């Protein structure tokens, strides 16, 4: 089971979007120098479709749903993405993973993916030396449920102009 500690509206994590972000607990990555250690605990509210829909209803005007974490049950998060894409095709979906690859992530249902653990000396996305990358995902047949090819556009540079 995945759980989230809280939700918040964020504007920078996914460029050009008004995002309802779910901070997911139980993070198994344990980066040295982690800035959000409270997310290591297995605590919070169950990340279920009814609970997500309840939050969506409470936050009119959002354009994107962002999942911050979820590496402790990627299969479940992949399944959630499929349902949300079908129930809310108007909303973009994004995922911040702490791992350095997206091998176990189903990109077909995502619009953004950020990869990479946090390494204090290299900094986060807004640092030019960062190891982290964020991609916008372009689907070759958007609007068609038989999505079979994705193009990843590296948009990390967009974070560098903010420092
Ligand atoms: S991915 Fe790394 S920085 Fe993010 S919550 Fe987990 S341990 Fe902390």
């Amino acid at each position: 089971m995945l759980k989230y500690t809280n939700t918040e509206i964020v504007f920078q994590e996914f460029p050009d979007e008004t995002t309802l972000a779910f901070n997911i607990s139980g993070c198994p990555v344990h980066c040295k120098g982690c800035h959000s250690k409270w997310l290591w605990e297995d605590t919070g509210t169950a990340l279920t479709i009814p609970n997500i829909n309840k939050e969506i209803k409470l936050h009119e005007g959002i354009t994107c749903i962002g999942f911050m974490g979820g590496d402790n049950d990627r299969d479940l998060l992949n399944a959630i993405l499929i349902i949300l894409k079908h129930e809310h095709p108007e909303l973009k979906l994004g995922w911040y993973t702490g791992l350095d690859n997206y091998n176990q992530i189903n990109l077909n249902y995502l619009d953004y993916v950020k990869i990479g653990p946090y390494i204090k000396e290299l900094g986060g996305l807004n640092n030019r030396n960062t190891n982290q990358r964020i991609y916008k995902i372009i689907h070759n047949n958007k609007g068609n449920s038989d999505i079979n090819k994705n193009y990843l556009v590296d948009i990390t540079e967009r974070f560098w102009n903010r420092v």
Side-chain angles (χ1 to χ4, degrees), residues 27 29-31 34-36 39-40 98 118:
C27 179
V29 184
H30 293 189
C31 308
C34 170
H35 43 68
S36 311
L39 292 177
W40 294 13
Y118 178 69

Side-chain angles (χ1 to χ4, degrees), residues 9-78:
I9 297 294
V10 297
F11 299 97
Q12 302 214 336
E13 280 72 359
F14 301 96
D16 307 324
E17 309 290 353
T18 302
T19 300
L20 171 62
F22 288 79
N23 290 318
I24 301 176
S25 59
C27 179
V29 184
H30 293 189
C31 308
K32 254 192 195 170
C34 170
H35 43 68
S36 311
K37 273 197 171 169
W38 65 90
L39 292 177
W40 294 13
E41 302 293 322
D42 178 25
T43 181
T45 307
L47 189 76
T48 61
I49 294 295
N51 284 340
I52 295 169
N53 279 332
K54 212 185 297 172
E55 295 286 349
I56 291 172
K57 262 194 189 155
L58 287 173
H59 295 90
E60 216 175 293
I62 57 169
T63 62
C64 180
I65 303 173
F67 294 104
M68 318 310 276
D71 292 306
N72 45 339
D73 195 343
R74 289 175 151 206
D75 288 344
L76 177 57
L77 197 38
N78 278 320

